[in-house]
Amino acid sequence: MNLCTLSALELATRIQARELSSVEATQYFLSRIAETEQHIHAFTHLAEGALDRAEQIDSRLKSGEQLSPLAGVPIAIKDVLCTIGDRTTCGSRMLSEYRPPYMATAVQKLVDAGLVIVGKTNMDEFAMGGSTESSYLGPTRNPWDVQRTPGGSSGGAAASLAAGMCSLSIGSDTGGSVRQPAAFCGVCGLKPTYGRISRYGLVAFASSLDQVGPLAHHVQDLAACMAIMAGHDNRDSTSLAAEVPDYLAELGRPLKGLKVGIIREQVEHAALEAEVRDAVSHTQRMLEELGASILEIDFPHQEYAVPTYYLVAPCEASSNLSRYDGVHYGYRELGDASAESPLDAMISRSRSRGFGPEVKRRIMLGTFALSAGYYDAYYKKALQVRRLITQDYHRAFQDVDLLLGPVTPTPAYPLGEKLDDPVQMYLGDLFTVGANLAGLPAISVPAGFTSEGLPVAVQLQAPALEESRLLNAAFQLQQAGLFTPQVAEPPAT
Ligand code: GLN
């Protein structure tokens, strides 16, 4: 039986019907990992005791216990989410040996729901990047073309699915890190509304933008995962108290009468490659056939999205990452003992050696933009433009229910291509950062392949807390054949 593209819900149903056990399902994916991981490097490390946990789930099911609709399903977790009894590296030397004394709320909820963690996935260092090349543990490769990037920062999460190494995957999205790798690897990825899922135990990059999000081959699996992870958490004061809808039950509503906006500044953008634009037009026609109407929308502040994000995010990062001082957490290297201040020398050396170049660049950018004399010109200005971008969305959502557009300007590019040119790397985020700046939910949906055989995708964005609307539209597109879940086979050795 091929479990790779079976939906996680269907897999759980079979486990619950005792057609196969969670142990068998876990073994299946572990053997896929054993075959494929050497080519892809999707994981920072595998979880200890996955088969034991699967066995526990099997015996709980056997004893008649009612577990969640995803119980027994093998899942991969991005290595930015704290897991107890295991390392959480954030793809950084700084945390390469860090063993958190607590579990992230989102992960705890998945464990409580009976999901089986198979491993922690690779990522750009501290989630800063769009190609998974800044990981201290080395890059992840795109299963559809191992010479290319899987995207990032949740590159391992997306690649692990595309290579058939797990049934579900959890990432995080600060400026596109769930949606962009999902797009590059041909899987679905959802960034929920800011505050919809607790950030407790999600290692902070930019706290006003960070959000946990699921990736899967099937839209209904994202819905099932959201139902488990969403909700208020006393341990995260920014988590929302709003009731959690029954995301699964809300799939299947007809799209007749739905108003979908296309952002003119996005589809006409000079950087947008033709095959990605074609995917958006194709999806637009499908939505029309499903009964939706299309409206053109203006987004006057689109061109400021990337510069605004690349001020706000580094400013917050410079503050968040000040905790890695060689004393409280992580990597420590003693400095020159004869230095005037051996303590300063230790902090300086620990940070110099513990962080990679991209993280240092962000810390320096953020520290500069927050410093006296520059704060008003940079950080404060960025906050003002952030408000204008949010207003563009509010204005759009007075006229339409959803926005349709590209996720990325291009499909996956070759490894190394943008490594020496950070600005080019940053410009790849031009269609994704808006949803984070405005705190809105957005989904990346596969939309076929380019002539070169690389996945392309489209993005849908919705007003705050309207994840159901996004999931439903994506589900209807999936049902109508916009994409078929597929797994890339590893290259022959
Ligand atoms: N690529 C973006 C960045 O480098 C987004 C990263 C993310 O969402 N974590 O900041």
Side-chain angles (χ1 to χ4, degrees), residues 229-389:
M229 291 194 296
H232 181 253
D233 179 10
N234 284 333
R235 288 163 157 163
D236 171 7
S237 60
T238 63
S239 74
L240 297 169
E243 203 182 313
V244 179
D246 185 344
Y247 293 109
L248 268 176
E250 295 197 15
L251 298 181
R253 276 173 291 135
L255 298 189
K256 202 164 169 30
L258 190 80
K259 284 184 273 174
V260 178
I262 308 262
I263 301 174
R264 202 170 47 81
E265 289 79 356
Q266 295 195 348
V267 287
E268 289 176 6
H269 202 285
L272 186 64
E273 277 191 10
E275 286 186 284
V276 185
R277 188 179 301 122
D278 291 348
V280 176
S281 313
H282 174 64
T283 310
Q284 172 183 335
R285 282 192 298 276
M286 273 185 109
L287 285 168
E288 282 173 317
E289 278 162 27
L290 289 165
S293 56
I294 306 288
L295 252 81
E296 200 170 84
I297 295 287
D298 278 318
F299 240 62
H301 301 94
Q302 166 67 46
E303 64 174 303
Y304 304 112
V306 165
T308 304
Y309 171 84
Y310 277 97
L311 277 167
V312 174
C315 285
E316 294 187 22
S318 73
S319 160
N320 274 326
L321 271 64
S322 65
R323 74 191 67 181
Y324 305 106
D325 54 6
V327 178
H328 295 92
Y329 295 92
Y331 186 77
R332 175 187 300 170
E333 205 173 305
L334 295 180
D336 181 359
S338 63
E340 200 177 316
S341 163
L343 177 64
D344 284 349
M346 186 272 284
I347 294 174
S348 161
R349 186 167 301 193
S350 301
R351 287 171 68 81
S352 305
R353 305 255 170 104
F355 292 135
E358 182 59 29
V359 171
K360 286 182 193 162
R361 183 178 297 122
R362 307 263 180 136
I363 292 174
M364 285 192 287
L365 275 171
T367 308
F368 176 79
L370 286 173
S371 57
Y374 295 103
Y375 182 96
D376 284 359
Y378 292 109
Y379 184 61
K380 193 169 154 207
K381 181 70 85 194
L383 292 185
Q384 288 164 338
V385 183
R386 181 178 189 175
R387 170 59 60 93
L388 294 174
I389 291 169

Side-chain angles (χ1 to χ4, degrees), residues 1-42:
M1 199 189 320
N2 177 1
L3 302 187
C4 300
T5 53
L6 191 69
S7 87
L9 278 165
E10 177 61 25
L11 177 58
T13 304
R14 293 191 191 180
I15 292 171
Q16 267 144 49
R18 317 201 54 74
E19 282 170 36
L20 91 165
S21 64
S22 174
V23 167
E24 284 165 335
T26 307
Q27 268 164 344
Y28 178 92
F29 286 108
L30 289 177
S31 65
R32 286 279 311 183
I33 292 172
E35 265 169 52
T36 315
E37 176 65 355
Q38 55 182 316
H39 305 291
I40 306 299
H41 189 222

Side-chain angles (χ1 to χ4, degrees), residues 78 124 126-131 152-154 172-178 180 205 210 309-310 313 358 362 425-426 429 432-433 436:
K78 183 177 180 181
D124 280 297
F126 283 101
M128 297 175 193
S131 67
S153 63
S154 313
S172 68
D173 192 312
T174 304
S177 277
V178 162
Q180 184 256 25
F205 160 14
D210 296 341
Y309 171 84
Y310 277 97
E358 182 59 29
R362 307 263 180 136
M425 184 82 88
Y426 300 169
D429 301 330
T432 49
V433 293
N436 302 77

